[in-house]
Amino acid sequence: MGLKAGVVGAAGFAGIELVRLLLRHPDFELTVVTSDAWAGTPISRMYPAFTGVTDLAFSANAQAPLAECDVVFLAVPHTAALAVAPGLIEQGVSVVDLSADFRLADPEEYQAWYKTPHTATDLLAKRAFGLPELFRKDLEDLAAKHAAGEAVLVGCAGCYPTATSLAAAPAIRAGLIDPKGVVVVDAVSGVTGAGKKATERTHFCFANENVEAYGVGTHRHTPEISQILGLDGRLVFTPHLAPLNRGLLSTVTMPLDPAKPLPTQEELDKVYADFYADSALVQFIQGGQPQTSSVAGTDRAQVGAVVHTAARMVVATGAIDNLGKGAAGQAVQCANIICGLDEAAGLDLIACAI
Amino acid sequence: MGLKAGVVGAAGFAGIELVRLLLRHPDFELTVVTSDAWAGTPISRMYPAFTGVTDLAFSANAQAPLAECDVVFLAVPHTAALAVAPGLIEQGVSVVDLSADFRLADPEEYQAWYKTPHTATDLLAKRAFGLPELFRKDLEDLAAKHAAGEAVLVGCAGCYPTATSLAAAPAIRAGLIDPKGVVVVDAVSGVTGAGKKATERTHFCFANENVEAYGVGTHRHTPEISQILGLDGRLVFTPHLAPLNRGLLSTVTMPLDPAKPLPTQEELDKVYADFYADSALVQFIQGGQPQTSSVAGTDRAQVGAVVHTAARMVVATGAIDNLGKGAAGQAVQCANIICGLDEAAGLDLIACAI
Amino acid sequence: MGLKAGVVGAAGFAGIELVRLLLRHPDFELTVVTSDAWAGTPISRMYPAFTGVTDLAFSANAQAPLAECDVVFLAVPHTAALAVAPGLIEQGVSVVDLSADFRLADPEEYQAWYKTPHTATDLLAKRAFGLPELFRKDLEDLAAKHAAGEAVLVGCAGCYPTATSLAAAPAIRAGLIDPKGVVVVDAVSGVTGAGKKATERTHFCFANENVEAYGVGTHRHTPEISQILGLDGRLVFTPHLAPLNRGLLSTVTMPLDPAKPLPTQEELDKVYADFYADSALVQFIQGGQPQTSSVAGTDRAQVGAVVHTAARMVVATGAIDNLGKGAAGQAVQCANIICGLDEAAGLDLIACAI
Amino acid sequence: MGLKAGVVGAAGFAGIELVRLLLRHPDFELTVVTSDAWAGTPISRMYPAFTGVTDLAFSANAQAPLAECDVVFLAVPHTAALAVAPGLIEQGVSVVDLSADFRLADPEEYQAWYKTPHTATDLLAKRAFGLPELFRKDLEDLAAKHAAGEAVLVGCAGCYPTATSLAAAPAIRAGLIDPKGVVVVDAVSGVTGAGKKATERTHFCFANENVEAYGVGTHRHTPEISQILGLDGRLVFTPHLAPLNRGLLSTVTMPLDPAKPLPTQEELDKVYADFYADSALVQFIQGGQPQTSSVAGTDRAQVGAVVHTAARMVVATGAIDNLGKGAAGQAVQCANIICGLDEAAGLDLIACAI
């Protein structure tokens, strides 16, 4: 209980999931939760699951004693993190940002996709990208700085990029994929991905018993996926909404490199199994396909991969909980690493099998 | 009420949907429904939605007076239609088959994918493929024969092939798509697509709150999609299961022909709008994406299409009810056409908007 | 197509269900749909299920040519019907009101429960209560007046009162129930019952995977149920919300009259079977329990009843679609009756069995 | 990790939930999981949520080293526990039984409801009833015996009895309820309550978008509820099924004692708040109604209570996870108590708020 943690924007879906994880974390003590809209309200009044669990109430952002925290998580919309992160870092507080503000390495790309200038490019240059299985070294570098008393910043990966990249990276990094080919990503998210705001889109009666694509060709996770996987724009990403609360499945179809012999399924299995052999939280499901229900409520991810011989493609699938490994779980995992803890500390939850 | 209709395999999901449609059809009279497993049981005992609607009971197949029907619908597993269709045709009864037995034009391809020889290749050669919006002429040819007293056979398209082809065909037939490129199809189906059999796969607690891919690279609808769209195997088809009863969305990513100028979105819109301008049951949703809930319970389909400029692709989506336009509705539409009726007769249902 | 119909408040859930029913009605022509909030918007833009079905657009209430209609349906919140109905009646337009404004016969009770005075008590005195199976005579009296050119008013029963009363009335009217005993009603509604407004209550992620009671002891349908069944306040009514779109099940526990011999189950079956023997739309499920899925999307109701010997009670259950027999379907049924049509005209829909 | 635990019947829904809880328990080590049907299969093959979490595989019951355990949990159908429990007790292993075999204190009542004789009446006489909040003293008596080296037996309460009794007991034990009045219980369960067997009842497409009552007047939890609350048969219990995985809400309508003054809501609130003031896992929701989603995946329960002045009744509601506090969670809680541990050890999970 040595480390104090705060959550800015704790009333939203990613924020409250952070609260759920941090209240049971063996090493962090959750001391501050903020929400301007709900300042003064006990968490348990808004989310009755916390009745009898915590007496914490939301504070207004301006009044919250965030400077006393060792780590502050930002569960806020993009641009809001740009406004808050620099001040916290200046006060010596390390920041784990769940927004989109520190994901894209190139501030011009940020401006192009988010239609607003990046106002903290110096911080951006020093941040690590929060997807430990693919960028562990960068996070460990931050851990060294944090241990030396420096406040550091993590820009956590988004939900679609996380599931997609965990599915695709082993094949790409193994050099199996055509460096000139286009990767097609069709991903399906549960409705928590659309956020807490009550809209027609999130109304039960419109979301229930429905599947639809949205943001075709325009979703802001596109450049982030491209950046992680080094696709340089050779990417078609189509997100979909399906009627479940939590869960995100990304199906990634990648052309095999025509200059190389077609791998066998056994060879592909080995590539994936080896890639995740030492991973605490990501599992390769050999000979099967991952299910989102197997990881719901957790920071775990499961991945499958199939050689499509006829079309010379790899079809890889990645399942996560969009609020878990896709948001709050991953943020806690990143915080664990930069604080020198076991990366899975407090993340030992097992999905309800049914 | 001049035409007598029968349904073989009426207790299954596609079968009972046929019953629901035919009981309200202005021109067909449903006189026979068969089910060996449920012979003697009133429909309403098994499906209480029919209480007060019909007193019809299931007959055993062998005892059912199918020869008295003008049209018999086969809602049976593959190979069962091979066993039944020839006898019916011989007796002068036209057959609309919902199974896979008469979909693939090439009997060797049938044998390769279904692991059993095709035993009615002569009938296969004369059948029409049941997807009216794309093969209307073939169905109209059958209508002429049927009118002349000849018993004819329709092999109805499967659910995934229907949604996929309705989404893809306008762009392909307009010559926009690279004739050498690979088409990627990711499709999501509701659980009725898995059939009535109670299995772990269809158990509420396993299907609910879950999304998963299945049959990656091996689903039997693959050659059918390839046949309809003339892809000659340049196809990666990945089906998924999502937690809803009815609804199927197919997302089709197709490479634009590099030899031609990139079409504008307006040009693509025009291609799609024109293609379905006269269609009674298929609508192009310009500037948006179709939702499965908009067509659930109906024979309607809705289609969207977007030019992905950066990747030089078209992303097209097609939404159907897998039991409607993907099975029973389409079968009735085909029956309407071969019987010389309005193609939409009895298919004027409107989806519950919510 | 002789009769012109209009719907005021057509953009809401009950309103759009009326649109769905009236567009396919053999005798009514839907000519006007109003919504101040969506004036000018085509129905199909808001509810894509209507794409290719109708070109009708919403009109502002003040501009809508409602006076040209033979019947106008009011799908508006309470007090809004009080404001609109008198003017329509004065213009000679018969009105079928789905709001609560003309349900309670006693204006003082209206004021007590709805906290606003009843401003059309003269109309209230002449209205019929719209629940045909229990108050057919009153509706037929209106039919005679309507035929004679008089504009008439129906105040349609609410959703919970409809399901509850259809379940309870046969036993009560047969004199089986203790005239001094308290009736306990626990009812479960789908989320469409909470209306179209996007709120935390109707957010998918809060409604999904949840069951809860609400409005315990305070729900405004309490006096209406008491009025229909003549309970004079001897009623405990507890509504619940469950995660489905459409469907309402009411479970009614009624003490048997201690002054009379305990009926056998066979005797109770006969009471219920006889009561609904001639009913086109309500069915008694002997030896079983009704399911909401059997009536979803329709104006049908199904009812079950069991003698609880040990506790000397009758447990009766009633299943409806809250938007069908609980709102729009019932309104059309009432309109059919007052217009001298078959009561089931346009209401021949069959629930999707699965 | 001092205590070894085994689960008999671990492949079923209650069994696998025990596995989920015990794998993370700070004091129990799960060493044996049995399933005759799945002997030899790794847990993670059947329930992929356990991939990377445990390598345990199911053993056949006869081969399993259950005698080495300190506590064995029986997650088996009724009569199976009768067959297994005596032998385990004889071998010195304490048993926590989740089946119905040791719930009813009166073996004749067991025979009457379960249609089979009770073959372990001596054990039955010594067992404690597993519902800690209401029968803590009995469990603590077993703890003393267990500490002294005696093998003891707990017969855990069923899911409906748990939710119902937690809601009703405070008012009944406070003497507020008419000792001659009939209590009406309407309860709604998620589909996990129907078990893992794939049947038409548990098929996604039949359970989804449906609510129904079942077992009216005949459900076997009736005598158990009566026993816990001392109702002596003055009980009408009607269970219902709703489309969610986990969650059970019981709504209990109880007549207030006419010989006593009507309590105010404040007085009732105090009765309930005091009753659960020291409870680690059960919370009274003052001024509101409990939601099942607030306790899903946990051993927690939430309770609400309202004075219905007009009808002189109390309407109390209790929300649990039928697999948590209604089965596996409660069993672990009982095991904690008889082993002298904190009753909430390993049960600190917080429901996913969304």
Side-chain angles (χ1 to χ4, degrees):
Chain A
M1 280 298 187
L3 298 166
K4 291 187 175 179
V7 176
V8 174
F13 281 178
I16 199 65
E17 181 71 356
L18 279 164
V19 171
R20 191 175 75 97
L21 296 175
L22 292 169
L23 283 174
R24 291 183 56 267
H25 197 286
D27 301 298
F28 286 114
E29 182 187 7
L30 180 63
T31 57
V32 195
V33 293
T34 85
S35 166
D36 277 348
W38 298 91
T41 303
I43 291 175
S44 62
R45 177 109 26 104
M46 189 173 190
Y47 290 105
F50 293 90
T51 308
V53 174
T54 182
D55 293 328
L56 269 178
F58 298 109
S59 308
N61 288 313
Q63 273 77 50
L66 295 167
E68 299 171 9
C69 294
D70 294 280
V71 178
V72 164
F73 296 86
L74 304 183
V76 294
H78 68 92
T79 71
L82 281 178
V84 176
L88 287 167
I89 295 286
E90 220 164 275
Q91 291 173 291
V93 181
S94 285
V95 171
V96 178
D97 178 28
L98 286 78
S99 87
D101 284 345
F102 296 98
R103 291 176 185 163
L104 297 178
D106 178 353
E108 289 187 19
E109 195 160 36
Y110 178 85
Q111 179 157 0
W113 283 88
Y114 292 90
K115 310 298 177 200
T116 185
H118 200 292
T119 58
T121 51
D122 50 338
L123 263 186
L124 179 62
K126 295 192 291 181
R127 71 92 171 94
F129 186 74
L131 210 179
E133 287 76 11
L134 303 186
F135 302 95
R136 183 174 307 277
K137 178 71 173 55
D138 297 344
L139 291 162
E140 288 174 350
D141 288 351
L142 291 199
K145 293 182 183 170
H146 182 87
E150 187 179 332
V152 297
L153 170 66
V154 179
C156 290
C159 52
Y160 287 119
T162 295
T164 301
S165 303
L166 291 174
I172 290 175
R173 295 205 178 172
L176 298 174
I177 304 307
D178 182 358
K180 293 184 183 158
V182 174
V183 169
V184 175
V185 177
D186 285 309
V188 185
S189 173
V191 185
T192 47
K196 191 191 170 198
K197 195 170 174 195
T199 64
E200 191 161 301
R201 183 180 201 70
T202 61
H203 193 297
F204 183 87
C205 301
F206 291 108
N208 189 33
E209 294 293 295
N210 185 40
V211 176
E212 62 182 283
Y214 67 98
V216 181
T218 63
H219 196 285
R220 286 164 166 174
H221 284 178
T222 306
E224 188 183 340
I225 295 171
S226 184
Q227 168 184 293
I228 299 172
L229 297 175
L231 296 177
D232 204 18
R234 289 171 290 102
L235 170 68
V236 177
F237 166 52
T238 307
H240 301 71
L241 204 62
L244 64 164
N245 272 15
R246 288 160 173 256
L248 190 158
L249 186 80
S250 185
T251 299
V252 189
T253 305
M254 302 174 278
L256 284 159
D257 190 336
K260 299 184 180 171
L262 193 76
T264 64
Q265 182 63 42
E266 290 66 34
E267 288 164 348
L268 189 71
D269 284 350
K270 187 164 167 19
V271 164
Y272 274 78
D274 288 353
F275 197 93
Y276 292 119
D278 299 327
S279 177
L281 294 164
V282 182
Q283 308 292 329
F284 174 56
I285 304 291
Q286 189 167 326
Q289 291 296 322
Q291 304 176 320
T292 63
S293 60
S294 298
V295 296
T298 80
D299 187 44
R300 301 179 195 280
Q302 296 192 353
V303 168
V306 172
V307 177
H308 195 294
T309 306
R312 291 193 67 96
M313 298 262 184
V314 167
V315 180
T317 52
I320 62 169
D321 179 337
N322 51 300
L323 291 181
K325 183 66 177 166
Q330 183 143 278
V332 171
Q333 187 183 356
C334 291
N336 286 340
I337 294 172
I338 64 169
C339 292
L341 307 171
D342 183 288
E343 74 168 325
L347 299 173
D348 60 333
L349 294 169
I350 307 168
C352 289
I354 28 79
Chain B
M1 280 299 189
L3 298 166
K4 290 186 177 181
V7 175
V8 175
F13 281 177
I16 199 66
E17 182 70 356
L18 279 164
V19 170
R20 189 175 77 97
L21 295 176
L22 292 169
L23 283 174
R24 291 183 55 268
H25 197 286
D27 302 297
F28 286 114
E29 181 187 9
L30 180 63
T31 57
V32 195
V33 292
T34 84
S35 166
D36 278 348
W38 298 90
T41 303
I43 291 175
S44 63
R45 177 109 27 105
M46 189 174 191
Y47 291 104
F50 293 90
T51 308
V53 174
T54 182
D55 293 328
L56 268 179
F58 298 110
S59 309
N61 289 312
Q63 273 78 52
L66 294 167
E68 299 170 9
C69 294
D70 294 280
V71 177
V72 164
F73 297 86
L74 304 183
V76 295
H78 67 92
T79 74
L82 282 178
V84 175
L88 288 167
I89 296 285
E90 221 164 273
Q91 290 174 292
V93 181
S94 285
V95 171
V96 178
D97 178 28
L98 286 79
S99 87
D101 285 345
F102 296 97
R103 290 174 185 164
L104 297 178
D106 177 353
E108 290 187 19
E109 196 160 34
Y110 179 85
Q111 180 157 359
W113 283 88
Y114 291 90
K115 311 298 178 199
T116 185
H118 200 291
T119 57
T121 51
D122 50 338
L123 262 185
L124 180 61
K126 296 192 291 182
R127 70 90 172 94
F129 187 74
L131 210 179
E133 286 77 12
L134 303 187
F135 301 96
R136 184 174 307 277
K137 176 72 172 56
D138 298 344
L139 291 161
E140 287 175 350
D141 287 351
L142 292 199
K145 292 181 183 171
H146 182 86
E150 187 179 333
V152 298
L153 171 65
V154 179
C156 290
C159 52
Y160 287 118
T162 296
T164 302
S165 304
L166 292 175
I172 289 176
R173 294 204 178 172
L176 297 175
I177 305 306
D178 182 358
K180 292 183 183 159
V182 175
V183 170
V184 175
V185 177
D186 285 309
V188 186
S189 173
V191 185
T192 48
K196 192 193 169 196
K197 195 173 176 193
T199 65
E200 190 161 299
R201 184 179 201 70
T202 61
H203 193 297
F204 183 87
C205 302
F206 291 109
N208 189 34
E209 293 294 294
N210 186 41
V211 176
E212 63 181 281
Y214 68 98
V216 181
T218 64
H219 196 284
R220 286 164 166 170
H221 285 177
T222 306
E224 188 183 341
I225 296 170
S226 183
Q227 168 184 292
I228 299 172
L229 297 175
L231 296 177
D232 204 17
R234 290 172 289 101
L235 170 67
V236 177
F237 166 52
T238 306
H240 301 71
L241 204 62
L244 64 164
N245 272 15
R246 288 159 173 256
L248 191 158
L249 185 81
S250 187
T251 299
V252 190
T253 307
M254 302 175 279
L256 284 159
D257 190 336
K260 299 185 179 171
L262 192 77
T264 63
Q265 182 63 43
E266 290 65 35
E267 287 165 347
L268 190 71
D269 284 350
K270 184 163 168 22
V271 165
Y272 274 79
D274 288 354
F275 197 94
Y276 292 120
D278 299 328
S279 177
L281 294 164
V282 183
Q283 307 292 330
F284 174 56
I285 304 291
Q286 189 167 325
Q289 291 297 320
Q291 305 176 320
T292 64
S293 60
S294 299
V295 295
T298 80
D299 188 44
R300 301 180 196 278
Q302 297 192 353
V303 169
V306 172
V307 177
H308 194 295
T309 306
R312 291 193 67 95
M313 298 262 183
V314 166
V315 180
T317 52
I320 62 169
D321 179 336
N322 51 299
L323 291 181
K325 184 66 178 168
Q330 183 143 277
V332 171
Q333 187 183 356
C334 290
N336 286 341
I337 295 172
I338 65 169
C339 291
L341 307 170
D342 183 288
E343 73 167 325
L347 300 172
D348 60 334
L349 293 169
I350 306 167
C352 289
I354 26 82
Chain C
M1 281 298 187
L3 299 165
K4 290 187 176 179
V7 176
V8 175
F13 281 179
I16 199 66
E17 181 71 356
L18 279 164
V19 171
R20 190 175 75 98
L21 295 176
L22 291 168
L23 283 174
R24 292 183 55 266
H25 197 288
D27 302 297
F28 286 113
E29 182 188 7
L30 180 63
T31 56
V32 194
V33 293
T34 83
S35 166
D36 278 347
W38 298 91
T41 303
I43 291 175
S44 62
R45 177 109 26 106
M46 189 173 191
Y47 291 104
F50 294 89
T51 308
V53 174
T54 183
D55 293 329
L56 268 177
F58 299 109
S59 308
N61 288 311
Q63 273 77 52
L66 295 167
E68 298 171 8
C69 294
D70 293 279
V71 179
V72 164
F73 297 85
L74 304 182
V76 293
H78 68 92
T79 72
L82 282 178
V84 175
L88 288 167
I89 296 285
E90 221 166 272
Q91 291 174 291
V93 180
S94 286
V95 171
V96 178
D97 177 28
L98 286 79
S99 87
D101 285 345
F102 296 98
R103 291 176 185 164
L104 297 177
D106 179 354
E108 291 188 17
E109 196 161 34
Y110 179 85
Q111 179 156 1
W113 283 87
Y114 290 89
K115 311 297 178 203
T116 185
H118 200 291
T119 57
T121 52
D122 51 337
L123 262 186
L124 180 61
K126 295 191 291 181
R127 71 89 172 94
F129 187 74
L131 210 179
E133 286 76 12
L134 303 186
F135 302 95
R136 184 173 306 276
K137 176 72 172 57
D138 297 346
L139 291 161
E140 288 174 349
D141 288 350
L142 292 199
K145 292 181 183 171
H146 182 86
E150 188 180 331
V152 298
L153 170 65
V154 179
C156 289
C159 53
Y160 287 119
T162 295
T164 301
S165 303
L166 291 174
I172 289 175
R173 293 204 178 173
L176 296 174
I177 304 309
D178 182 359
K180 292 182 183 161
V182 174
V183 169
V184 175
V185 177
D186 285 311
V188 186
S189 174
V191 184
T192 47
K196 191 192 169 197
K197 195 173 174 194
T199 65
E200 191 161 300
R201 184 181 202 69
T202 61
H203 193 297
F204 183 87
C205 302
F206 290 109
N208 188 32
E209 294 294 295
N210 185 40
V211 176
E212 62 180 285
Y214 68 98
V216 181
T218 63
H219 196 283
R220 286 165 165 171
H221 284 178
T222 306
E224 188 183 341
I225 296 171
S226 184
Q227 169 184 293
I228 299 172
L229 297 175
L231 296 177
D232 204 17
R234 290 170 289 101
L235 171 68
V236 177
F237 167 53
T238 307
H240 301 71
L241 204 63
L244 63 165
N245 272 16
R246 288 159 172 255
L248 190 158
L249 185 81
S250 186
T251 299
V252 190
T253 306
M254 302 175 277
L256 284 159
D257 190 337
K260 298 184 179 171
L262 193 77
T264 64
Q265 181 63 43
E266 289 68 33
E267 288 165 348
L268 189 72
D269 284 350
K270 187 166 166 19
V271 165
Y272 274 78
D274 287 356
F275 197 93
Y276 292 118
D278 299 328
S279 177
L281 294 164
V282 183
Q283 307 292 329
F284 174 57
I285 304 292
Q286 190 167 324
Q289 292 295 322
Q291 304 176 320
T292 63
S293 59
S294 298
V295 295
T298 80
D299 188 44
R300 300 179 197 279
Q302 296 193 352
V303 169
V306 172
V307 177
H308 194 294
T309 306
R312 292 194 66 96
M313 298 261 184
V314 167
V315 180
T317 51
I320 62 171
D321 179 335
N322 51 298
L323 290 182
K325 184 65 178 167
Q330 184 143 275
V332 172
Q333 188 183 356
C334 291
N336 286 340
I337 294 174
I338 65 169
C339 293
L341 306 171
D342 183 289
E343 73 167 324
L347 300 172
D348 60 333
L349 294 169
I350 306 169
C352 289
I354 27 81
Chain D
M1 280 298 186
L3 299 166
K4 290 187 176 179
V7 175
V8 175
F13 281 177
I16 199 65
E17 181 71 357
L18 279 164
V19 171
R20 190 174 75 98
L21 295 176
L22 292 168
L23 283 173
R24 292 183 55 268
H25 197 286
D27 302 297
F28 286 114
E29 182 187 7
L30 180 64
T31 57
V32 194
V33 293
T34 85
S35 166
D36 278 348
W38 297 91
T41 303
I43 291 176
S44 62
R45 177 108 26 106
M46 189 173 189
Y47 291 104
F50 293 90
T51 307
V53 175
T54 182
D55 294 329
L56 269 178
F58 298 109
S59 308
N61 289 312
Q63 273 75 53
L66 295 167
E68 298 170 9
C69 293
D70 294 280
V71 178
V72 165
F73 296 86
L74 304 183
V76 294
H78 68 91
T79 74
L82 282 178
V84 175
L88 288 168
I89 295 286
E90 222 165 90
Q91 291 174 290
V93 180
S94 286
V95 171
V96 178
D97 178 28
L98 286 77
S99 88
D101 285 346
F102 296 98
R103 290 175 186 164
L104 297 177
D106 178 354
E108 289 188 19
E109 197 161 34
Y110 179 85
Q111 181 157 359
W113 283 86
Y114 290 91
K115 311 298 178 201
T116 185
H118 200 291
T119 57
T121 51
D122 50 337
L123 263 187
L124 180 61
K126 295 191 293 182
R127 72 88 172 94
F129 186 74
L131 209 179
E133 287 76 12
L134 303 186
F135 302 95
R136 184 173 305 276
K137 177 71 173 57
D138 297 345
L139 291 162
E140 289 175 348
D141 288 350
L142 291 199
K145 292 182 183 171
H146 182 86
E150 188 180 331
V152 298
L153 171 65
V154 178
C156 290
C159 53
Y160 288 119
T162 295
T164 302
S165 303
L166 291 174
I172 290 176
R173 293 202 178 173
L176 297 174
I177 304 308
D178 182 358
K180 292 183 183 159
V182 174
V183 169
V184 174
V185 177
D186 286 310
V188 186
S189 174
V191 184
T192 48
K196 191 191 169 196
K197 195 172 173 192
T199 65
E200 190 161 302
R201 184 180 201 69
T202 60
H203 194 297
F204 183 87
C205 303
F206 290 109
N208 189 32
E209 293 294 294
N210 185 40
V211 176
E212 63 181 284
Y214 68 98
V216 181
T218 64
H219 196 284
R220 285 162 166 173
H221 284 178
T222 307
E224 188 183 340
I225 296 170
S226 183
Q227 168 184 292
I228 299 172
L229 297 175
L231 296 177
D232 204 18
R234 289 171 290 102
L235 171 67
V236 177
F237 167 53
T238 306
H240 301 71
L241 206 61
L244 63 165
N245 272 16
R246 288 158 172 254
L248 190 158
L249 186 81
S250 185
T251 299
V252 190
T253 306
M254 302 175 278
L256 284 159
D257 191 337
K260 299 184 178 171
L262 193 78
T264 63
Q265 182 63 43
E266 289 68 33
E267 287 164 348
L268 189 72
D269 283 351
K270 185 165 168 22
V271 165
Y272 273 79
D274 288 354
F275 196 93
Y276 291 119
D278 299 328
S279 178
L281 294 163
V282 183
Q283 307 292 331
F284 174 56
I285 304 292
Q286 191 167 323
Q289 292 295 322
Q291 303 176 321
T292 64
S293 60
S294 298
V295 296
T298 80
D299 188 43
R300 301 179 196 278
Q302 296 192 353
V303 168
V306 172
V307 177
H308 194 294
T309 306
R312 291 193 66 95
M313 299 261 183
V314 166
V315 180
T317 52
I320 62 171
D321 179 336
N322 50 300
L323 291 181
K325 184 66 179 168
Q330 183 143 276
V332 171
Q333 187 183 356
C334 290
N336 286 341
I337 295 173
I338 65 169
C339 292
L341 307 170
D342 184 288
E343 74 168 323
L347 300 172
D348 59 333
L349 294 168
I350 306 168
C352 289
I354 26 80

